[in-house]
């Protein structure tokens, strides 16, 4: 019983002992004559409370007394918010056997939830590792693109101080190609300025 209903009962007893007669409506008389058999009947009686505060207190008392709710086709259903599911029960409250089945179902529910959480955790860890590996590959690729690739220096053809191979290509205007022609011209000039002296005839004996 709620505190409001208990206070009303105490007031009635006090009035009866004092010889006072208090008027009682038919609805309230029904409340005291027979206790409600389920939540719906209890809630109907609570709706007849005089004030909103009394109605709220009476409905809370109904909810504490009766766990089941009527089904349209008969029987009752019990909602377990911990599992977020309903169970069919025979009366307005689960019997000990029904409560045992509900508890066993909750144990199975917890085991499934732990298993799903473990799988989700492993999956999330694998996804994180894959993302980190992708980021590392992208970073290494970016580093490789920023570093210039060393280019091999061209080989210098060594012609100075040594004979040029026959048939080798010659760049026009280069020293290696012009030197033979200049050397020949210098020899011609030397012949002009230093004519060769004719040899004396040999003496007859």
């Amino acid at each position: 019983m709620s505190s409001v209903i208990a206070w009303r009962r105490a007031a009635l007893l006090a009035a009866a002992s004092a010889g006072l007669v208090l008027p009682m409506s038919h609805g309230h008389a029904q409340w005291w004559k027979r206790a409600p058999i389920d939540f719906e009947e209890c809630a109907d009686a609570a709706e007849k409370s005089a004030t909103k505060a009394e109605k709220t207190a009476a409905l809370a008392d109904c909810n504490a007394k009766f766990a089941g709710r009527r089904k349209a086709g008969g029987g009752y259903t019990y909602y377990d918010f911990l599992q977020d599911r309903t169970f069919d029960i025979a009366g307005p409250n689960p019997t000990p056997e029904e409560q045992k089945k509900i508890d066993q179902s909750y144990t199975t529910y917890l085991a499934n939830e732990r298993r799903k959480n473990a799988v989700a955790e492993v999956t999330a860890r694998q996804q994180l590792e894959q993302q980190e590996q992708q980021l590392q590959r992208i970073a290494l690729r970016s580093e490789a693109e920023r570093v210039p690739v060393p280019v091999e220096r061209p080989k210098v053809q060594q012609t100075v101080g040594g004979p040029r191979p026959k048939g080798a290509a010659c760049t026009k205007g280069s020293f290696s190609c012009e030197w033979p022609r200049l050397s020949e011209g210098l020899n011609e000039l030397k012949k002009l300025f230093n004519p060769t002296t004719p040899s004396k005839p040999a003496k007859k004996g």
Side-chain angles (χ1 to χ4, degrees):
M1 292 290 181
S2 67
S3 58
V4 175
I5 297 174
W7 178 84
R8 286 184 176 183
R9 177 176 293 179
L12 287 173
L13 292 174
S17 62
L20 299 176
V21 178
L22 297 178
M24 182 181 297
S25 65
H26 178 71
H28 285 86
Q30 288 296 108
W31 174 271
W32 297 113
K33 282 182 180 179
R34 184 175 65 84
I37 61 173
D38 57 17
F39 176 82
E40 284 72 21
E41 189 173 301
C42 183
D44 289 342
E47 289 290 337
K48 300 174 183 178
S49 300
T51 64
K52 185 176 181 181
E54 291 177 355
K55 176 182 175 180
T56 302
L59 286 174
D61 185 61
C62 295
N63 192 60
K65 285 181 177 180
F66 303 105
R69 301 292 183 267
R70 286 182 191 172
K71 292 174 61 178
Y76 295 85
T77 182
Y78 170 77
Y79 173 72
D80 187 357
F81 70 94
L82 294 175
Q83 305 179 60
D84 191 22
R85 60 167 295 189
T86 57
F87 298 86
D88 290 335
I89 55 178
N93 286 305
T95 64
E97 186 64 25
E98 289 171 341
Q99 188 63 51
K100 182 179 178 181
K101 291 180 179 180
I102 293 171
D103 294 341
Q104 290 174 346
S105 175
Y106 181 61
T107 301
T108 303
Y109 169 81
L110 288 180
N112 292 335
E113 286 297 309
R114 283 194 294 267
R115 184 165 52 253
K116 286 192 293 185
N117 291 337
V119 172
E121 184 178 354
V122 171
T123 303
R125 189 183 301 112
Q126 291 176 348
Q127 291 177 351
L128 180 60
E129 291 176 355
Q130 291 176 356
Q131 291 176 357
E132 290 177 350
Q133 292 174 359
Q134 290 177 356
L135 291 175
Q136 289 177 358
R137 286 195 293 267
I138 293 173
L140 291 175
R141 191 180 304 120
S142 300
E143 269 312 307
E145 291 175 355
R146 284 198 295 267
V147 176
V149 179
V151 180
E152 185 180 0
R153 295 179 61 183
K155 295 181 179 180
V156 179
Q157 186 177 5
Q158 297 181 357
T159 56
V160 180
R164 183 167 57 89
K166 293 182 179 181
C170 179
T171 304
K172 186 177 181 180
S174 64
F175 179 76
S176 60
C177 288
E178 296 296 331
W179 171 249
R181 186 174 60 80
L182 294 174
S183 180
E184 185 178 351
L186 289 174
N187 290 334
E188 292 296 330
L189 290 174
K190 287 179 180 179
K191 289 179 182 180
L192 290 176
F193 289 102
N194 298 311
T196 304
T197 305
S199 58
K200 294 181 181 180
K203 294 181 179 181
K204 294 181 179 180

